Amino acid sequence: MTQTALNIGTTVANIQNDVELRKVFKVFQGHTAVRGVDINIRQGEFFSILGPSGCGKTTTLRLIAGFETPSAGEIMIRGKSMSQTPAYRRPVNTVFQSYALFNHLSVKDNIAFGLRIKRLGKTETEEKVAQALRLVKMEKFADRYPHQISGGQQQRVALARALVNRPAVLLLDEPLGALDLKLRKQMQMELSSLHRDLGVTFVMVTHDQEEAMSMSDRIAVMHEGRIEQIGSPQEIYERPQSPFVADFIGDTNLFQGRVEFTNDSTIVVNTDSGLKIIVENSAVAGDAKNLEIYAGASVVISVRPEKIDISLYSPEVSENCFEGRLMNVMYMGTHVHYMVKLLSGDRMMIRQPNTGGTLPNPDTPIYVYWAKQDCLALSEQR
C-alpha cells in the first residue's frame, strides 16, 4: 500500500519541516518539565525522542499533540503556529501505549470512529476503513472485538485508526511498551516498513534505546527536560556529546580525569584513579570541541565495550594497555561479556564476538587495551 493509495500526508510546497519546537518550556506547579526545547522534525522523517522516565519526553509529545499548552515558546506544524489550535484541529494523530481502543466496538468500527465523528458518508468511510485494514494486514479480523485479538493485533488496529484520518504527523507514545520482547522486535520491523511505505512523519517517544536506534532516522536524547543531543543513531552512538548520552545509549566505560598534555594529534589524560589514557585529538565530542583543551582541563573519557581487546599475555602496545583481573564472564551466544577489575580499581566492561574458544576462568590475570582513536573525550560542562 503506497502513500498515494491511502492519500496520507499531502505535500506542502517549500516546507522542509513538519514539526518545529522553538524554545518550548512547560511548567507544572513550579516544576519545569520541559526546558527550552528546540527541535526541527523533517517531512517524512522517523524521529524519536528518547530518555529515561521523568525526562520530559512524553510531555513534549503531548505539547505537539495539543494535550498540553506550552508555558513559553512556540510549536509549528507544517509551517503554521499551533498556539491557537486545539488538539482536535491539529493535523496529527496519536497512538498510545494502552492503544485506547473501544472494547464495545469491533475492529472496523474502532477504525471508523474518527471518520464518523467527521460525518463522512457511509461509502467513503467503508472504503477508507478497508484501505486501513489492508495497510495493517487486519482484513480477516474486521468483525472481531479488541478482547478477541492479540496485543500485536490491537496495536495494528490503533495504528490503522490513527492513519485512516490522514494525519500530517503520527505521534507514537511508547507504542511497543506493552508487548513482549519477541513481538516487540517483530513490530519494530513492521512499524519501520509501514513508515517507509507511507512516507508520513512519525514522532515516537520511547525509553528503549534499541527501539529508537533500530527504527529512527534521527533521535533526540532528553535529560532533565533538556535536549542533550540530536543526531542519527550512528552519530548518537559513535559521537555522543555528553557523558549522559554516552552512558545512556548502549554500554560504555567512563573515566573522569584531567588533561596532562595536548597537541594537534594527541590528548593525554590522567584519570582520577591514576590511569594515563591517550586520546586522538580528533576524538573530542560535541561541546568539548568549542572549549579550549588545555593542561588541567576536566574531561570524561568514554570507551565502548566492543572497542576493547583483551589478552592473557602482555600485548605489544604502548598506549591504553592496562592489567587487571577477570571478575566475571557472561556467555551471551553471539557475544561474550567480560567484567575486568583493573589494578587501578576501575571496573571495565568488554564485549567480544563469540569465536567458540575456551572461556577464561574468573580471577585470571588479563590485559585490556584499545586504540587512541577508539575512545572519546567528553566535556563535563553542560
Side-chain angles (χ1 to χ4, degrees), residues 7-166:
N7 268 332
I8 292 177
T10 55
T11 302
V12 179
N14 300 321
I15 295 177
Q16 297 298 317
N17 296 317
D18 265 351
V19 180
E20 296 180 53
L21 277 68
R22 301 174 178 175
K23 302 295 181 187
V24 171
F25 287 79
K26 181 60 182 178
V27 180
F28 294 103
Q29 298 179 341
H31 170 69
T32 305
V34 176
R35 301 171 182 269
V37 166
D38 285 299
I39 297 176
N40 294 323
I41 302 173
R42 303 162 189 157
Q43 281 189 349
E45 187 171 34
F46 198 129
F47 190 93
S48 290
I49 304 173
L50 173 67
S53 297
C55 73
K57 58 186 185 296
T58 296
T59 300
T60 300
L61 197 77
R62 290 177 61 83
L63 288 165
I64 297 171
F67 301 143
E68 301 288 351
T69 303
S71 303
E74 188 173 26
I75 296 172
M76 310 281 291
I77 299 179
R78 293 224 158 164
K80 295 182 179 180
S81 173
M82 295 290 109
S83 59
Q84 303 298 320
T85 306
Y88 67 90
R89 287 190 176 173
R90 296 190 182 192
V92 304
N93 270 329
T94 306
V95 177
F96 300 97
Q97 180 177 353
S98 63
Y99 310 139
L101 299 178
F102 299 110
N103 290 323
H104 66 288
L105 297 181
S106 66
V107 165
K108 65 182 180 183
D109 287 336
N110 263 282
I111 297 171
F113 183 81
L115 301 176
R116 289 171 179 158
I117 292 293
K118 293 181 177 180
R119 300 184 182 278
L120 263 65
K122 181 178 179 182
T123 300
E124 187 179 2
T125 296
E126 289 176 351
E127 288 175 355
K128 292 183 181 299
V129 169
Q131 288 178 350
L133 284 166
R134 287 196 298 271
L135 182 70
V136 297
K137 303 179 178 65
M138 288 292 290
E139 305 100 304
K140 296 179 180 179
F141 302 91
D143 294 320
R144 294 195 187 181
Y145 288 82
H147 71 274
Q148 296 174 320
I149 58 178
S150 69
Q153 290 167 338
Q154 289 179 30
Q155 198 222 37
R156 289 192 184 97
V157 175
L159 284 167
R161 185 177 62 181
L163 290 167
V164 79
N165 283 301
R166 305 175 184 175

Side-chain angles (χ1 to χ4, degrees), residues 112-244:
F113 183 81
L115 301 176
R116 289 171 179 158
I117 292 293
K118 293 181 177 180
R119 300 184 182 278
L120 263 65
K122 181 178 179 182
T123 300
E124 187 179 2
T125 296
E126 289 176 351
E127 288 175 355
K128 292 183 181 299
V129 169
Q131 288 178 350
L133 284 166
R134 287 196 298 271
L135 182 70
V136 297
K137 303 179 178 65
M138 288 292 290
E139 305 100 304
K140 296 179 180 179
F141 302 91
D143 294 320
R144 294 195 187 181
Y145 288 82
H147 71 274
Q148 296 174 320
I149 58 178
S150 69
Q153 290 167 338
Q154 289 179 30
Q155 198 222 37
R156 289 192 184 97
V157 175
L159 284 167
R161 185 177 62 181
L163 290 167
V164 79
N165 283 301
R166 305 175 184 175
V169 180
L170 183 67
L171 306 177
L172 302 156
D173 186 9
E174 301 273 7
L176 309 182
L179 305 178
D180 61 53
L181 179 61
K182 186 174 182 179
L183 184 55
R184 190 160 68 243
K185 290 183 178 297
Q186 177 187 338
M187 290 304 298
Q188 286 175 13
M189 297 179 64
E190 293 191 14
L191 201 55
S192 294
S193 298
L194 186 63
H195 170 260
R196 185 172 58 251
D197 291 344
L198 294 174
V200 176
T201 302
F202 280 21
V203 183
M204 179 177 73
V205 156
T206 181
H207 67 275
D208 189 307
Q209 306 150 31
E210 181 183 340
E211 192 169 283
M213 296 280 284
S214 64
M215 293 194 290
S216 309
D217 297 312
R218 287 190 303 149
I219 299 169
V221 181
M222 287 194 75
H223 178 48
E224 296 181 346
R226 296 185 177 90
I227 300 294
E228 289 272 330
Q229 184 175 353
I230 297 176
S232 69
Q234 184 175 7
E235 289 168 344
I236 294 286
Y237 186 82
E238 297 290 349
R239 309 294 290 185
Q241 291 182 358
S242 71
F244 173 81

